[in-house]
Amino acid sequence: MIYQNKFFGVLIICYQPNYEDIYNIKKNISSFKCGGIVWNSKKIFNISNPNFFQIELNTNLGQAKALNIGFSKAKSLGINILLTLDQDSILIEKSDRIIDLINYYSNNYTNPSGFNFLSIKDNKSNNYSYSREIKPYASLTTVTSGCIYLISAWEKIKGFKEKFFIEGVDTEYSLKAKKNKFNFYKIDYPIIIHDAGIPISKEVLKFKLK
């Protein structure tokens, strides 16, 4: 199923993908009319689809830099809305789910900078959460992957903070977006799967975060 909307594209950020990741990337690209890949490493393969761009950075310049470069290129091609994915993102096999989300997003929200929807996969059971209805609710923050972004909002708040590299990129973006009166929404209507990460704890200003 190809989502035929020239204003809606997918942006995939890649860094030294393995064979399984490459399969996911190619499959995700085949599901969209337009978009692109930003390689935070050497480019692994070429894309024959003229509606997709590839930008090779040769080395890891960080998530924020890669996103800004991808958003800027997408804007120059007339793409207004971007779905951000990582190389290991897996689209759920439901051909109408993205279309449902795009339509709902377009009809109900005029100024959101982020519309998050993730399904977190349980590595042990190989199951994932699945909602039957679109039920958005307000969120304080956004995430850099697995999110629909309005490029006009990204442009207004001057993009992602590149000096943060990876850590804190989404938090800083969220604070700037809120300052500019953009809203965020989460939704229990997932279209992609991410493997659950291993919990870690950090001490920040003497407070322990888990």
Side-chain angles (χ1 to χ4, degrees):
M1 173 67 181
I2 298 179
Y3 303 105
Q4 299 285 353
N5 188 319
K6 66 179 181 179
F7 304 112
F8 182 93
V10 62
L11 177 64
I12 306 173
I13 307 299
C14 297
Y15 176 71
Q16 297 180 347
N18 58 33
Y19 289 113
E20 184 177 353
D21 294 334
I22 292 172
Y23 172 81
N24 289 333
I25 295 165
K26 291 182 176 180
K27 186 175 181 180
N28 290 342
I29 289 172
S30 69
S31 296
F32 291 87
K33 183 177 179 63
C34 59
I37 297 177
V38 177
W39 296 91
N40 252 332
S41 59
K42 291 285 187 181
K43 182 171 62 176
I44 305 298
F45 60 85
N46 291 312
I47 302 173
S48 58
N49 188 333
N51 294 318
F52 276 81
F53 62 85
Q54 285 197 94
I55 299 174
E56 184 180 21
L57 303 180
N58 293 309
T59 187
N60 190 357
L61 299 181
Q63 185 80 356
K65 181 76 171 180
L67 285 167
N68 284 336
I69 289 172
F71 274 56
S72 180
K73 181 63 175 180
K75 178 179 179 293
S76 73
L77 298 175
I79 298 172
N80 299 329
I81 303 171
L82 273 178
L83 166 64
T84 56
L85 297 179
D86 288 331
Q87 61 195 27
D88 59 349
S89 302
I90 302 171
L91 288 173
I92 294 174
E93 297 292 340
K94 293 286 182 180
S95 63
D96 59 344
R97 292 179 75 79
I98 291 181
I99 295 173
D100 287 347
L101 277 170
I102 295 171
N103 290 336
Y104 191 91
Y105 182 97
S106 300
N107 293 332
N108 292 276
Y109 299 102
T110 57
N111 72 334
S113 62
F115 195 165
N116 308 327
F117 47 94
L118 287 171
S119 175
I120 303 301
K121 183 178 178 182
D122 184 335
N123 290 325
K124 294 181 180 179
S125 66
N126 205 36
N127 293 322
Y128 57 87
S129 60
Y130 187 88
S131 175
R132 301 284 179 180
E133 298 180 70
I134 299 178
K135 293 182 177 180
Y137 52 94
S139 174
L140 292 176
T141 60
T142 186
V143 291
T144 54
S145 179
C147 183
I148 292 177
Y149 281 93
L150 276 177
I151 291 182
S152 59
W154 163 84
E155 187 176 29
K156 182 174 181 179
I157 66 176
K158 304 186 186 306
F160 300 93
K161 193 77 169 180
E162 295 178 7
K163 75 174 185 179
F164 287 158
F165 200 75
I166 296 175
E167 297 293 337
V169 172
D170 44 9
T171 302
E172 193 273 342
Y173 185 92
S174 299
L175 291 172
K176 289 192 301 186
K178 287 293 184 182
K179 185 177 180 180
N180 283 274
K181 303 187 184 304
F182 288 106
N183 300 315
F184 299 104
Y185 300 92
K186 290 185 178 180
I187 198 162
D188 293 326
Y189 189 81
I191 63 162
I192 64 173
I193 302 170
H194 278 299
D195 284 342
I198 300 173
I200 61 173
S201 64
K202 294 183 179 180
E203 286 192 2
V204 179
L205 299 177
K206 296 186 178 180
F207 291 96
K208 192 170 184 181
L209 304 177
K210 292 185 177 181

